Amino acid sequence: MSQNKNLAELSAAGVSVWLDDLSRDLINSGALQDEIDTHSIVGVTTNPAIFQNSISKSESYAEQINALAASGADVDAAITAITTDDVRAACDVLAPVFADSDGHDGRVSIEVDPRLANKTDETVAHAVELWNLVDRPNLFIKIPATKAGLPAITRVIAEGISVNVTLIFSVERYREVMDAYLDGLDAALRNGHDVAKIESVASFFVSRVDSEIDNRLTAIGTPEALALRGKAGLANARLAYAAYREVFETETRFPDLQAHGALPQRALWASTGTKNADYPDTLYVSELVAPNTVNTVPVKTLNAFADHGWVNTDSIVGQAKASKEVFDALTAVGVDLADVFELLETEGVSKFDDAWNDLLGATQTQLDAARG
């Protein structure tokens, strides 16, 4: 099989393309392998909403749910068994990519229970539990970048565990995430771990920023405000990449860790499906191209990019000044950016929590039915 030209070009520009989807059907049908073979997919991300959609809508889980019901498993144990089985199987599918990339890609992410987003100790314990249950070197444990999540990130990395930090909305919080990563590497070295085997990505959400800020700009309604719609998400991500380059290419702390084999924490663009139909459907892929980045792409967006996406290699590098001007203009027209980012984080945790609760309810119903 040959790779799609558009996605191959994106990969050649330094963007690792990860699929933002997973299901047992995707694995068992060979569709995941097909995505690797034809769409340059080199990683997979999951979240509570993805699992909720997969488990509640597929018959592929019936046999396992029946067995879990017969064994007396409660709903939390059932979900843990189901989700870790899927992630382990996906890790195995991506194992050749992991080997070929020297562990840089071929990764699959699983998130800690979203109900623990504001509980540091419990997040650490669940992260370690998931790492041990999946038992694959190409696993990422997803931890949200809440205030309680930051020390958890450090402590989990200190255990030699690779982490995908999720729900990052502001550059300020992103800098705290990078500090937490570096603190974790320092601790991992002290604990005797090989830091060259620890990978991390920082998932910076894009389209949700535009959605919230566009709503506020529309409410303000002035010509100056309306002219800024659709610019905030990209500007925010471009400023995040500038911060990444400062920390890992310019500042003095990382080189000491790098001498021990440590790797930069790559920026990952998440929430890259376009939510506004007036914007190009590949906007948050085509306009976020830079070396050593990741774009985790929903299936719909992936197919759109394969069909008509473009690769703008000038879309991030050198855009920090212009992006800062966008943020200054947003503030000038009355957008409270600090409030935007606080709201988006709160809503993000809540959405994952709601999806998890829906999954709990749907799975409990299936367990009850299996038990008669």
Side-chain angles (χ1 to χ4, degrees):
M1 293 184 182
S2 61
Q3 295 288 356
N4 173 269
K5 179 180 179 296
N6 294 342
L7 288 158
E9 184 180 352
L10 182 65
S11 297
V15 180
S16 292
V17 184
W18 292 3
L19 181 67
D20 193 29
D21 192 29
L22 186 64
S23 68
R24 194 159 296 180
D25 291 338
L26 190 70
I27 298 165
N28 292 343
S29 67
L32 177 57
Q33 185 63 56
D34 288 344
E35 296 288 8
I36 296 168
D37 294 337
T38 65
H39 281 165
S40 298
I41 291 298
V42 294
V44 168
T45 53
T46 68
N47 60 46
I50 286 172
F51 281 132
Q52 193 278 332
N53 182 67
S54 299
I55 297 170
S56 64
K57 294 183 179 179
S58 173
E59 295 296 321
S60 298
Y61 300 94
E63 182 178 350
Q64 185 174 18
I65 288 172
N66 289 337
L68 288 164
S71 72
D74 66 19
V75 66
D76 287 295
I79 289 173
T80 297
I82 293 167
T83 58
T84 55
D85 280 0
D86 277 5
V87 168
R88 188 182 305 106
C91 283
D92 290 344
V93 173
L94 282 153
V97 177
F98 180 72
D100 290 345
S101 65
D102 293 326
H104 197 56
D105 283 310
R107 301 270 179 168
V108 183
S109 297
I110 187 171
E111 188 162 342
V112 295
D113 187 330
R115 296 170 296 180
L116 306 178
N118 296 308
K119 299 177 180 179
T120 301
D121 291 344
E122 291 88 340
T123 292
V124 173
H126 195 221
V128 173
E129 177 188 5
L130 289 172
W131 180 260
N132 291 330
L133 282 171
V134 175
D135 193 25
R136 294 293 187 273
N138 53 331
L139 179 68
F140 267 134
I141 302 297
K142 288 179 79 172
I143 298 175
T146 58
K147 281 295 186 183
L150 293 171
I153 292 160
T154 296
R155 288 168 55 185
V156 172
I157 290 170
E159 295 294 326
I161 295 171
S162 295
V163 173
N164 175 345
V165 184
T166 189
L167 287 179
I168 307 171
F169 295 98
S170 72
V171 176
E172 290 76 16
R173 181 55 55 84
Y174 181 39
R175 287 187 176 276
E176 292 179 293
V177 166
M178 289 188 284
D179 285 341
Y181 172 60
L182 296 174
D183 289 345
L185 291 178
D186 283 332
L189 274 176
R190 293 194 299 270
N191 292 339
H193 293 290
D194 182 357
V195 294
K197 294 182 178 179
I198 301 173
E199 278 268 358
S200 184
V201 293
S203 297
F204 204 86
F205 282 52
V206 186
S207 67
R208 294 190 195 181
V209 172
D210 266 341
S211 294
E212 178 61 29
I213 290 180
D214 281 2
N215 286 340
R216 298 188 184 208
L217 292 169
T218 300
I220 292 167
T222 64
E224 295 81 5
L226 297 178
L228 291 168
R229 288 179 298 184
K231 296 183 178 181
L234 292 175
N236 199 34
R238 289 162 178 164
L239 290 171
Y241 189 75
Y244 157 84
R245 296 191 69 184
E246 285 178 17
V247 170
F248 293 107
E249 298 178 11
T250 304
E251 295 179 0
T252 58
R253 184 178 182 187
F254 182 63
D256 289 339
L257 290 162
Q258 194 172 31
H260 290 278
L263 300 165
Q265 181 188 51
R266 287 184 290 172
L268 180 155
W269 313 126
S271 182
T272 55
T274 307
K275 294 179 172 58
N276 188 329
D278 292 334
Y279 301 157
D281 55 2
T282 67
L283 177 68
Y284 302 118
V285 182
S286 295
E287 295 295 337
L288 290 175
V289 179
N292 210 32
T293 57
V294 180
N295 200 307
T296 179
V297 189
V299 173
K300 182 179 178 181
T301 305
L302 180 73
N303 291 335
F305 192 90
D307 180 65
H308 54 265
W310 71 96
V311 176
N312 180 4
T313 55
D314 296 322
S315 58
I316 294 184
V317 177
Q319 298 297 320
K321 182 176 182 292
S323 298
K324 177 63 166 57
E325 290 172 353
V326 170
F327 267 41
D328 289 342
L330 289 167
T331 299
V333 299
V335 176
D336 185 340
L337 293 169
D339 182 69
V340 167
F341 297 135
E342 181 179 358
L343 174 66
L344 287 172
E345 180 181 305
T346 301
E347 286 184 346
V349 171
S350 179
K351 286 177 181 177
F352 281 172
D353 196 34
D354 289 345
W356 199 255
N357 286 330
D358 289 344
L359 176 57
L360 286 168
T363 306
Q364 184 65 65
T365 298
Q366 293 179 56
L367 287 170
D368 290 343
R371 290 179 179 131

